[in-house]
Amino acid sequence: MTNNKIPPLVAIGWDGVTWDLLHPWIEEGKLPNFLALMERGSYGPLRSTPVPVSPAAWSTIITGQNPAKHGVFDWFARRPGRYDVEYVHTAHIRARPLWEYANQAGKRVGVLSLPMVYPAVPVEGFMFSGMAAPDAKSPGFAHPPEMLAELESEFGPYQLVEKHIYKYGREDEYLSGVLDWLEYQEKTIHYLIQKYPCDVYSLVFMQPDHVHHKLWRYGDEDFPGYDPKHDAQHKDAILEVYQALDDVLGRLVERFDEANYMVFSDHGAGPMHGVMHVNRWLQEEGLLHLQQNLSTKLKRWLAKTNVILRAYQLVAKLGLGNLAALVSKPARNKLVSSFLSFEDVDWSRTKAYARGAFGQIYINLKGREPGGIVEPGQEYERLCGDILSRLRDLKHPETGESLITGLKRKEDIYKGPYIDQAADIMFSIQDYLYQTSVKFGLESESILGRSEYEDSGTHREEGILVMAGPDIQQGKEISSAGLEDILPTTLALADIPVPAYIDGSPLEDIFEPTLKKRLRFIEEEEGDARQNEDQPPGMSAEEVSELEDRLRDLGYLG
Ligand SMILES: [Zn+2]
């Protein structure tokens, strides 16, 4: 039963948006609709997950739980008893998500483009998958399924990501693809809202994150290798995307007579000057060893002679997605498998390895890893302490400054049943100025190297939050909110009781007294409350491979 007195809640996710870019542009009057919302409501920073990677962050946003309770830590998930990983999809989100709370309370929910949500799940309302979907044509992309055909007959083929991959020298083409994608998304949103109105909307825009990764250098004169002649021509590229988002926001706000709004990002953004080859460092430290067999030796030799690096750069330039049109699948697989990978690691002599783009080291632990050699307990503790102190001592090879920042161990930051999925040690590299290489980097002269994907921007820990509407006070400062507070705040605004087991809390300090009065907490257990224990179907091998290609093209995978 929908209570007509409760205004709809419109949650708008701007992936990766940062106050660092917003503030100067707001002051210059370039983002009028966003400023209007700020002036009507309250705003501040929003703390991301300890590893600020989108699937972990968005899973916390929709469940209110830390990653050890929802089970999503990165774009990949570890498989028990194996070293290889699988790519995250809806079934990996083990905590109750927004749509279950909303539907159970009789509220309709509209969900669009959450990056790790594929397949879409049956909801009262609608749901369209995000980037974890191999393709919009994949079964399970939308719920109800017929809505996809409906959108396509109105607006043409569904746009899941930008049409062109980024290449230096082809910036305009890339940017116009991003703006087209945004335009398509806006049209579908207005159509869906008008035809299938909901009580709660969760609408995600990935465009800002994509352009931060690819286009940061153009607006940053201090960026290494900045070319004033070429790069300055595109200095406003990211601004153009922010302004387009601002226009989209303005038209969305116009559509509703009265609504509560949340505009937020899952993490921030900043420049990226290169990558650290963490597996190479572990190898230098004697903690990771490669096999001595012929194929691995050959790959090492190829890596050192730069043949593979050049082949790799070619792949990165063309994009695996584009390469698919040119080269057969077996040839493509052969090329990719000629790079050194975890298959070349000698696990019987390896104590630690790195995986993921944001400083994550895993211990080769007996009983957890299939070929684990490190004993749990004392030996594990000693090794973690040893790695932490060696990381602490690491210096930037050129500047001599400390290289490693924000060292953490999983026990200090995560709490919950899925903690074994987490890396054992996490860190940032000069406060995210460098990402972790997703390659072994044996060809590199130094433990630091250039981005394999020509990326010039990456994530930061601090995102943004703006809230406005009839239930939100004006002019309050939001100072210590985290992603885990978004779900309970959403529930409160939608007039749904907030369960006590959620890690986050509603942001009561900025609620109007009327909302504070109707806010309800309940004590139920999450286990009893979960309705949908059925595992959605996994992906076919072909779907997985399409998805991997996309994630590689975007720089998320090695
Ligand atoms: Zn993100």
Side-chain angles (χ1 to χ4, degrees):
M1 29 138 226
T2 304
N3 185 338
N4 289 331
K5 285 188 194 125
I6 308 297
L9 172 66
V10 186
I12 298 168
W14 283 354
D15 199 286
V17 160
T18 169
W19 285 117
D20 291 349
L21 294 179
L22 286 170
H23 278 313
W25 292 337
I26 288 163
E27 269 170 40
E28 291 164 24
K30 287 174 172 158
L31 304 169
N33 297 304
F34 184 71
L35 176 62
L37 209 62
M38 284 168 66
E39 286 176 342
R40 267 171 62 188
S42 297
Y43 56 88
L46 187 63
R47 181 179 19 82
S48 188
T49 36
V51 179
V53 58
S54 303
W58 282 108
S59 297
T60 290
I61 290 168
I62 59 163
T63 66
Q65 303 287 35
N66 86 89
K69 287 191 190 159
H70 62 60
V72 176
F73 292 84
D74 210 316
W75 285 100
F76 55 82
R78 306 176 73 177
R79 308 165 83 162
R82 299 173 64 155
Y83 288 108
D84 60 342
V85 289
E86 56 184 341
Y87 301 101
V88 293
H89 47 88
T90 319
H92 291 111
I93 309 167
R94 301 308 184 94
R96 257 183 99 172
L98 166 66
W99 44 91
E100 283 188 23
Y101 293 107
N103 281 173
Q104 204 178 39
K107 310 274 180 184
R108 286 171 55 83
V109 63
V111 179
L112 193 89
S113 300
L114 277 167
M116 68 297 166
V117 168
Y118 173 77
V121 290
V123 288
E124 284 302 319
F126 59 83
M127 185 183 294
F128 287 79
S129 297
M131 277 172 37
D135 193 273
K137 301 263 176 292
S138 309
F141 180 75
H143 184 88
E146 58 275 13
M147 262 190 209
L148 176 65
E150 196 180 327
L151 287 185
E152 292 196 323
S153 76
E154 291 283 329
F155 308 113
Y158 194 90
Q159 288 195 33
L160 185 54
V161 286
E162 62 268 29
K163 262 178 285 187
H164 309 286
I165 69 158
Y166 164 80
K167 291 174 203 135
Y168 193 80
R170 305 280 288 272
E171 295 83 359
D172 289 337
E173 183 186 72
Y174 171 73
L175 183 61
S176 78
V178 173
L179 294 170
D180 279 357
W181 172 30
L182 178 58
E183 200 186 309
Y184 187 93
Q185 224 183 318
E186 183 188 17
K187 284 191 261 183
T188 60
I189 287 170
H190 282 273
Y191 179 90
L192 291 167
I193 289 175
Q194 189 177 16
K195 199 151 174 211
Y196 307 103
C198 293
D199 304 290
V200 178
Y201 297 96
S202 178
L203 311 170
V204 181
F205 296 89
M206 294 299 291
Q207 291 86 357
D209 184 59
H210 289 202
V211 295
H212 294 147
H213 279 283
K214 303 301 178 191
L215 305 176
W216 191 279
R217 58 178 300 143
Y218 301 94
D220 180 359
E221 290 180 18
D222 298 329
F223 198 84
Y226 179 80
D227 172 2
K229 237 168 121 189
H230 175 82
D231 295 356
Q233 295 172 44
H234 308 287
K235 68 173 169 39
D236 293 330
I238 295 179
L239 173 60
E240 267 187 65
V241 173
Y242 274 54
Q243 287 188 297
L245 282 165
D246 188 71
D247 291 341
V248 171
L249 176 66
R251 289 186 287 264
L252 210 49
V253 171
E254 261 173 39
R255 169 164 290 278
F256 294 96
D257 293 332
E258 194 179 53
N260 287 306
Y261 296 93
M262 300 169 90
V263 180
F264 57 88
S265 58
D266 56 332
H267 48 75
M272 164 175 161
H273 287 181
V275 294
M276 174 176 170
H277 301 289
V278 180
N279 280 316
R280 180 196 149 112
W281 177 74
L282 288 168
Q283 198 192 9
E284 280 177 6
E285 296 291 312
L287 297 167
L288 180 147
H289 293 271
L290 294 180
Q291 290 176 17
Q292 295 299 319
N293 63 36
L294 200 61
S295 129
T296 298
K297 278 184 180 160
L298 181 66
K299 287 190 212 173
R300 285 179 79 159
W301 178 79
L302 286 169
K304 287 203 164 129
T305 56
N306 275 343
V307 174
I308 286 301
L309 180 63
R310 279 204 295 275
Y312 181 68
Q313 282 168 343
L314 180 71
V315 173
K317 270 213 164 62
L318 288 169
L320 281 163
N322 292 359
L323 205 63
L326 304 170
V327 188
S328 72
K329 189 92 201 174
R332 221 159 19 125
N333 287 342
K334 216 166 165 184
L335 184 60
V336 172
S337 65
S338 61
F339 307 133
L340 280 166
S341 71
F342 283 108
E343 283 169 24
D344 300 299
V345 170
D346 180 353
W347 295 110
S348 70
R349 295 189 297 146
T350 289
K351 290 187 173 173
Y353 60 102
R355 178 171 252 146
F358 290 94
Q360 291 139 284
I361 289 180
Y362 297 82
I363 304 299
N364 192 21
L365 189 68
K366 221 180 225 175
R368 185 183 65 188
E369 268 75 0
I373 60 165
V374 176
E375 291 285 348
Q378 255 189 9
E379 192 187 343
Y380 171 82
E381 292 299 323
R382 242 196 334 261
L383 178 62
C384 286
D386 182 34
I387 294 175
L388 286 170
S389 82
R390 291 199 225 182
L391 284 169
R392 228 173 261 128
D393 291 342
L394 258 180
K395 301 278 184 268
H396 191 293
E398 281 154 35
T399 65
E401 292 166 354
S402 277
L403 193 59
I404 304 299
T405 42
L407 274 165
K408 342 176 218 256
R409 288 189 57 178
K410 67 176 176 188
E411 297 80 8
D412 304 331
I413 49 175
Y414 296 132
K415 202 167 188 290
Y418 304 106
I419 194 165
D420 266 357
Q421 277 274 338
D424 297 283
I425 292 168
M426 283 148 280
F427 54 91
S428 52
I429 305 154
Q430 296 208 316
D431 291 320
Y432 302 94
L433 195 58
Y434 294 84
Q435 235 176 244
T436 311
S437 162
V438 283
K439 301 264 155 242
F440 277 81
L442 277 181
E443 72 286 349
S444 167
E445 304 258 301
S446 153
I447 55 164
L448 294 184
R450 284 181 48 187
S451 160
E452 293 103 336
Y453 298 95
E454 299 193 69
D455 277 19
S456 55
T458 186
H459 303 177
R460 295 294 186 273
E461 281 175 16
E462 191 186 286
I464 68 149
L465 174 60
V466 178
M467 292 178 60
D471 290 317
I472 304 298
Q473 291 189 54
Q474 190 183 20
K476 282 266 182 166
E477 191 187 328
I478 298 174
S479 58
S480 59
L483 295 185
E484 65 282 2
D485 301 325
I486 297 291
L487 187 268
T489 301
T490 304
L491 297 181
L493 286 163
D495 204 31
I496 300 169
V498 180
Y501 60 73
I502 290 179
D503 285 342
S505 317
L507 300 173
E508 288 180 64
D509 292 353
I510 60 163
F511 289 172
E512 286 287 0
T514 45
L515 175 56
K516 280 187 194 166
K517 223 181 275 166
R518 60 170 212 258
L519 181 60
R520 285 166 296 149
F521 291 91
I522 44 168
E523 282 297 332
E524 70 177 0
E525 297 283 315
E526 184 177 25
D528 302 329
R530 289 214 59 185
Q531 302 172 310
N532 188 5
E533 291 292 341
D534 290 339
Q535 296 281 310
M539 287 183 244
S540 71
E542 186 62 25
E543 284 182 314
V544 169
S545 134
E546 280 171 42
L547 173 60
E548 284 180 13
D549 284 357
R550 157 131 27 83
L551 296 177
R552 279 204 181 89
D553 284 346
L554 292 167
Y556 293 132
L557 290 183

